Structure formats: C-alpha cells, structure tokens
Amino acid sequence: MIPGVDNDSVVYLNGEYVRLGDARVSVLDRGFIFGDGIYEVVPCYHGKPFLMDKHLARLTRSLAAIRLDAGRDAQAWQRLMLDTLQRSGQRGDCIIYLQVTRGVAKREHGFPAHSQATVFCMVSPLKRPDAHKRDDGMSAVSMVDERWLHCEIKSVSLLGNVLSKQYATDAGVDEVLQFRDGNLSEGSSCNIWVVKDGVLRAPVRDHHILEGIRYGFLVSLAERLGIPFEARAISQEEVAQADELMLSSATKEVLPITRFDGKPVGSGKPGAVYARLRAAYDAAIESL
Ligand code: PDD
C-alpha cells in the first residue's frame, strides 16, 4: 500500500496494460540508475486533454535533446496517452503522466549500443487548485538556483527541483523563486510571472527554465486580453518590488503569489492581471 496511490488503476508499461500495483521495471533501468529519461504531464479536464499538441511538441523536443529515439512519432505518443486515459477509466479532471527512459542495460554511463526505451504511462486524478489558493494566494521564498544548465529538458533527473521544493517546505511556504546570477529563473516545478505597472513579464524561454506549456498559453491569453507582455531578465529586486507575482504549471494552472520572502506582494491580495488571466484560463477549460 502506498498512501494516495490506487494500485488497481490501469497503466501502460512497455507494450502492456497492467495494474499499477503489478507494473515492474528492472533495477538496471537507466531511469533508475542514472535518471536518464524524460517525462510529460498533460492535464485533462472532464476527461479531455488540455493543450495536448503543445505537450507532444515538447515531448519530441525533450527526446531529441537527450538523443533518445523511442521509435514513435507525435501521433503515436498521442494514441498511447489517449488509450491509457481511456483504459484508466478516469472521466473527470486528471493528469496523464508519460515517462520514457533509455531502457535497461549494463551500468555504463555512455549510451548503450542496444537498449529499448522504457515507456510508462499512468493517469491520476487531478485536484484543481482550491478556492483558498485562488483567493488568498501562495507564499514563496527566494533561493539560489543550483540546478544544471539544461532546465529546458523535461528530464526525470529532478534532484535539484526536489531539493528546492523541500527548501520551501522546510521554510513553511508553498514555493521557491529561484535566482541564477541574480535573475529570476523559475519555481521548483512551475514558471513564475511578474507584474509591474500593468506589464506582465517572465524570464526568457532559454536553457535556464523549462518552457512550461502554460508559458505559451498565458502569453496568448495576455495578447488576447490586451495585457502587455515582455520576456526579459528579471532581477531579484524587481521581483521584490512587483505589484503581482504568479506561478503556472499543469497541476497548479495559474495562481497568485501574495507573500514573498515574508512580505506581502503589492497589496497582499491577488491582483487585477491575475484575475483576468485566471478567468480566461477557466473559460478555456470550460470550453474544452
Ligand atoms: N512541472 N518549470 C518546471 C521546473 C516544471 O517542473 C514545470 C511543470 C513547469 C511548468 O510547465 P507546464 O506549464 O508545462 O506544467 C515549469 C510538472 C507539472 C511536474 O513536474 O509535475
């Protein structure tokens, strides 16, 4: 028994659909030994995937970045995820988790000459952010970004992210805002947004951050709503003086950060730009 996990849910593993509780991977899997793999998290609302095309595109980029040819194209990945969703029986809000590793081989760092990718897909219920988080906002503290320089790859090597999330937990807050060389990068598992004088800003989409699927989506919503947007380096001082801070991810959608480093952000309440983006995000989900 693993708390919070439904061992009876149907998952995909290497060509078969099995109970989660029966799914087994070799200890020599390079995902286990080296963290040599990538993953995707696709949110679904009332059983329908949200922004699937963008997730497929990022999956393709991640596989190419680690030079892993798993023998499937975007269409085949989509079929696999939709099939797993269907067999999982989940018809409400849920997430599709897909993981691809370089497979099982003798433990040697270089790529194995012959190995078959390990492909795993599961579907879990998604609890959308509750009213308290939407209305009161989240708290965050700053920390130095100590991760590697390929944060654009959605790698399963998440130790840096795990340690930063634990830093937040130990500090008694919800999230961290990481800074590299004095500039904002991202949260432990989310992108960060800064509003000043009505302008929405985010760090440039480069190797210092994961390009969240909500990054592009929120930029498109801002454009539609006439909210000016700018991608550029954002200093820690600018973050500290922001009118609004927000975070975004597949599971957190878009949420306000109302306390940063122990102080209120702007008025200390979720701001006007957040409210507009939130409403547009909710409307997009409703119209799925
Ligand atoms: N995390 N940055 C990092 C480091 C992330 O791990 C995530 C998402 C994001 C936001 O990406 P998206 O909008 O595509 O969810 C940014 C997922 C949810 C996770 O690891 O569970």
Side-chain angles (χ1 to χ4, degrees), residues 39-41 55 58 95 147 151 154 158 161 186-191 209-215 248-251:
Y39 73 108
E40 264 304 323
V41 176
H55 283 280
R58 186 172 63 186
I95 59 165
R147 301 170 305 156
C151 298
K154 202 159 171 65
L158 285 173
N161 306 61
E186 59 183 342
S188 66
S189 54
C190 53
N191 291 119
I209 65 168
L210 181 78
E211 183 179 337
I213 300 309
R214 267 124 294 277
Y215 189 126
S248 66
S249 82
T251 48

Side-chain angles (χ1 to χ4, degrees), residues 28-31 33-38 62-70 100-117 148 150 153 157:
L28 286 178
D29 192 278
R30 290 176 64 96
I33 293 278
F34 293 123
D36 184 2
I38 55 92
S62 294
L63 287 167
I66 70 162
R67 294 156 59 193
L68 175 50
D69 179 3
V100 188
T101 79
R102 211 178 303 275
V104 179
K106 179 164 183 261
R107 187 186 177 281
E108 284 172 351
H109 286 67
F111 295 174
H114 306 287
S115 77
Q116 194 147 21
W148 73 330
H150 273 301
I153 303 172
S157 307

Side-chain angles (χ1 to χ4, degrees), residues 215-260:
Y215 189 126
F217 184 58
L218 288 175
V219 169
S220 71
L221 291 183
E223 204 169 297
R224 204 189 313 153
L225 294 167
I227 300 167
F229 169 73
E230 191 183 18
R232 66 154 165 82
I234 303 168
S235 70
Q236 188 157 347
E237 201 186 331
E238 284 181 282
V239 172
Q241 287 167 8
D243 297 332
E244 296 181 41
L245 295 176
M246 285 173 250
L247 57 78
S248 66
S249 82
T251 48
K252 299 193 186 77
E253 303 173 357
V254 54
L255 285 175
I257 298 171
T258 48
R259 282 194 80 75
F260 175 56

Side-chain angles (χ1 to χ4, degrees), residues 55-129:
H55 283 280
L56 289 169
R58 186 172 63 186
L59 172 64
T60 305
R61 288 201 301 277
S62 294
L63 287 167
I66 70 162
R67 294 156 59 193
L68 175 50
D69 179 3
R72 283 183 163 91
D73 61 11
Q75 258 189 348
W77 289 120
Q78 178 167 12
R79 268 200 306 278
L80 166 60
M81 286 194 264
L82 294 181
D83 204 24
T84 310
L85 175 63
Q86 212 249 321
R87 289 174 190 247
S88 75
Q90 298 274 351
R91 300 287 176 265
D93 300 337
C94 55
I95 59 165
I96 305 173
Y97 176 88
L98 175 73
Q99 175 169 330
V100 188
T101 79
R102 211 178 303 275
V104 179
K106 179 164 183 261
R107 187 186 177 281
E108 284 172 351
H109 286 67
F111 295 174
H114 306 287
S115 77
Q116 194 147 21
T118 297
V119 178
F120 171 59
C121 187
M122 66 177 170
V123 180
S124 333
L126 170 68
K127 195 179 161 297
R128 294 193 57 196

Side-chain angles (χ1 to χ4, degrees), residues 2-48:
I2 310 170
V5 170
D6 175 10
N7 269 329
D8 288 326
S9 64
V10 174
V11 302
Y12 173 93
L13 179 63
N14 295 333
E16 287 178 47
Y17 287 94
V18 294
R19 280 178 70 248
L20 178 59
D22 295 332
R24 295 282 177 273
V25 176
S26 165
V27 291
L28 286 178
D29 192 278
R30 290 176 64 96
F32 179 63
I33 293 278
F34 293 123
D36 184 2
I38 55 92
Y39 73 108
E40 264 304 323
V41 176
V42 184
C44 306
Y45 299 100
H46 18 273
K48 290 192 202 136

